[in-house]
Amino acid sequence: MLLEQRLYLAELFDIYGPLLTDKQQKCLSLHLFEDFSLSEIGEELAVSRQAVYDILHRSEQIMASYEEKLGLAKRLKEQQHELTGLYDEIAGLSSFDKDRVNDILMKLAPYTSKVQEELD
């Protein structure tokens, strides 16, 4: 599985995972986050390798369908992009009160792709 696709599925799982069945959640979690093979997941869940494949495939389709209808992951990415832009603009306002600017940047940092080290 390509890294980009795996990251995209992980994003969808973070948003739509609670809407899946317990078995689907466990299967996807083991596959995406624990890097278990289909055989290992099958052993863990006491199902065949083919059943694991079917569960994964169906779960991915379900989450993609939710995303197509609701667009939450797309909106979240757009908001993060906008907030990152605001973060960069505020960071460029060095002529203002530096402590106030850093306070605002610290509040924005968790919602952007920026990391805390950039503030220092």
Side-chain angles (χ1 to χ4, degrees):
M1 177 183 292
L2 297 172
L3 180 59
E4 288 179 12
Q5 183 178 359
R6 183 171 281 229
L7 291 173
Y8 178 69
L9 289 174
E11 288 175 12
L12 292 183
F13 184 77
D14 286 343
I15 296 169
Y16 303 114
L19 301 174
L20 300 173
T21 67
D22 290 341
K23 187 174 262 186
Q24 289 170 330
Q25 288 179 36
K26 180 74 172 171
C27 192
L28 268 173
S29 179
L30 291 172
H31 183 63
L32 293 173
F33 306 118
E34 303 296 328
D35 204 27
F36 276 32
S37 68
L38 299 183
S39 298
E40 292 169 326
I41 296 169
E43 288 176 23
E44 183 78 19
L45 300 178
V47 297
S48 70
R49 186 180 182 283
Q50 182 62 47
V52 171
Y53 175 83
D54 292 342
I55 291 168
L56 289 173
H57 186 70
R58 180 71 181 130
S59 300
E60 291 170 12
Q61 286 180 329
I62 290 169
M63 292 189 310
S65 174
Y66 288 146
E67 177 58 20
E68 185 179 317
K69 291 174 184 162
L70 301 172
L72 297 177
K74 181 182 176 189
R75 268 192 267 163
L76 186 62
K77 189 169 276 196
E78 289 169 354
Q79 288 172 347
Q80 183 181 28
H81 182 73
E82 287 180 34
L83 288 170
T84 299
L86 287 173
Y87 181 101
D88 291 339
E89 285 183 46
I90 292 169
L93 301 174
S94 59
S95 64
F96 290 93
D97 179 11
K98 191 71 167 170
D99 291 334
R100 182 68 180 130
V101 169
N102 280 338
D103 184 47
I104 293 169
L105 292 177
M106 286 175 54
K107 290 177 182 174
L108 276 176
Y111 305 104
T112 68
S113 58
K114 302 298 180 177
V115 292
Q116 182 62 34
E117 293 86 44
E118 292 183 22
L119 294 176
D120 300 327

